[in-house]
Amino acid sequence: MRIAVIDGQGGGIGRHITEKLRRALSEETEIIALGTNSLATAAMLKAGANEGATGENAIVQTSKKVDIITGAVSILVANSMFGEVTPKIAEAVGSAEAIKVLLPVNRSNIEIVGAVNEPLPHQIDKIVDFIKKYGGNHNV
């Protein structure tokens, strides 16, 4: 199982997702840190990602080669994260065959009706639970 964690800015959300995935899933699960900038990539690598890459082309190319993509819903929105998510990144993530497991973080003028307003750690726990059920522990 190959999981891409995509984040930008300081990489805080991606770091938390990566830490929890690394603790919950088997060592055979490959976690790939994809940062819109080097600070975000470094934060996710430090949190336990197997490998990482930075920038638009890295995200566009790697999105085609993973089973799951996770991060904030804003990775689907062109020009979000203060412009760090380029239109090419949003298109690549949105059109990737990978299942997208996204946090309903209400930023970028996006309001997800029906999403429960919970603290970020609880939302990340739900991502981890979903990925475990989906097959991150190789028991599909």
Side-chain angles (χ1 to χ4, degrees):
M1 179 72 54
R2 297 182 83 205
I3 302 169
V5 182
I6 301 176
D7 201 5
Q9 298 182 292
I13 290 174
R15 178 177 55 83
H16 287 298
I17 292 172
T18 301
E19 284 174 349
K20 289 191 175 195
L21 286 174
R22 181 50 59 216
R23 281 188 298 223
L25 303 176
S26 70
E27 286 297 318
E28 292 82 38
T29 302
E30 187 177 359
I31 300 173
I32 303 167
L34 297 175
T36 60
N37 63 64
S38 58
L39 187 62
T41 303
M44 293 183 281
L45 284 167
K46 188 174 181 181
N50 297 82
E51 56 188 330
T54 301
E56 178 182 82
N57 196 54
I59 295 170
V60 168
Q61 295 305 313
T62 307
S63 294
K64 302 174 192 175
K65 302 172 186 173
V66 296
D67 303 300
I68 296 173
I69 297 172
T70 189
V73 71
S74 58
I75 63 176
L76 291 173
V77 179
N79 304 309
S80 63
M81 294 188 198
F82 297 105
E84 289 186 26
V85 177
T86 66
K88 285 184 180 180
I89 290 173
E91 180 182 9
V93 172
S95 63
E97 290 189 28
I99 188 165
K100 288 82 160 169
V101 187
L102 304 174
L103 289 169
V105 179
N106 295 328
R107 294 186 185 152
S108 303
N109 291 325
I110 298 172
E111 194 65 40
I112 301 173
V113 177
V116 180
N117 188 12
E118 294 182 293
L120 186 62
H122 295 165
Q123 291 178 359
I124 293 172
D125 288 342
K126 288 181 179 182
I127 281 179
V128 172
D129 290 343
F130 179 89
I131 291 172
K132 284 173 65 176
K133 288 177 188 170
Y134 183 78
N137 62 3
H138 299 289
N139 290 330
V140 179

